[in-house]
Amino acid sequence: MSIERTLSIVKPNAVEDNNIGNIVGRFEKEGLRIAAMKMVKLSKERAEGFYIEHKSRSFFTSLVTFMTSGPVVLMVLEGEKAVERNRTIMGSTNPADAANGTLRKLYAKSLEANAVHGSDSLASAEREISYFFDKNELCGRF
Ligand code: ATP
Ligand code: MG
């Protein structure tokens, strides 16, 4: 067994479209457990820090503006191979390339407003979880 934790974010477009429940429900249906969850409106500084790896990219400013345009839901998902399973459930970054039934195919509006975030590796997951959650906020089983 390799139980992992990964960070998931319901992005502002999916919150605006009333899809929080559909997204959380999908994770639960797929057997991932919600180990922590909170709804927040990110400040510019907090969003910039989160996406620091993309600072030099052309889309960085626009991405930060989008991620601060409305509330987001931050979640820690827990389960066997959670990092990879979450990425599979989410689908490709660009919804035009996302497989049928994936969260991005179902709920994204565009490449930028693509409904969900998911950590892309175990190392990213650890950084991202500790960026948004204190240890005592994690309510997982493991
Ligand atoms: P995320 O990190 O949000 O889970 P990802 O790992 O699939 O997505 P990244 O390459 O890390 O994709 O890009 C981070 C986010 O930046 C994307 O989810 C998307 O919202 C936005 N993004 C990526 N590429 C572009 C682009 N070319 N134009 C506009 N926005 C983009
Ligand atoms: Mg990424």
Side-chain angles (χ1 to χ4, degrees), residues 8-10 14-15 18-38 73-77 86 89 103 107 115-116:
S8 170
I9 305 179
V10 181
V15 174
N18 262 2
N19 282 319
I20 297 172
N22 287 327
I23 290 169
V24 174
R26 176 65 175 279
F27 291 137
E28 292 194 327
K29 213 170 290 168
E30 299 268 359
L32 291 167
R33 298 191 67 84
I34 312 299
M37 169 149 53
K38 56 189 168 191
V73 178
L74 307 169
M75 277 178 283
V76 177
L77 305 178
N86 180 35
I89 294 165
L103 295 176
Y107 305 125
V116 281

Side-chain angles (χ1 to χ4, degrees), residues 91-102:
S92 300
T93 307
N94 188 341
D97 304 327
N100 282 339
T102 60

Side-chain angles (χ1 to χ4, degrees), residues 43-101:
S43 67
K44 180 169 175 278
E45 293 68 30
R46 215 158 171 223
E48 284 175 347
F50 179 70
Y51 278 121
I52 196 73
E53 64 176 323
H54 294 313
K55 196 163 174 45
S56 61
R57 308 285 285 277
S58 58
F59 59 81
F60 180 75
T61 305
S62 176
L63 177 61
V64 169
T65 300
F66 164 62
M67 289 298 288
T68 57
S69 66
V72 297
V73 178
L74 307 169
M75 277 178 283
V76 177
L77 305 178
E78 186 176 80
E80 178 84 11
K81 295 197 172 140
V83 172
E84 184 191 321
R85 279 168 66 206
N86 180 35
R87 297 285 292 190
T88 302
I89 294 165
M90 285 164 45
S92 300
T93 307
N94 188 341
D97 304 327
N100 282 339

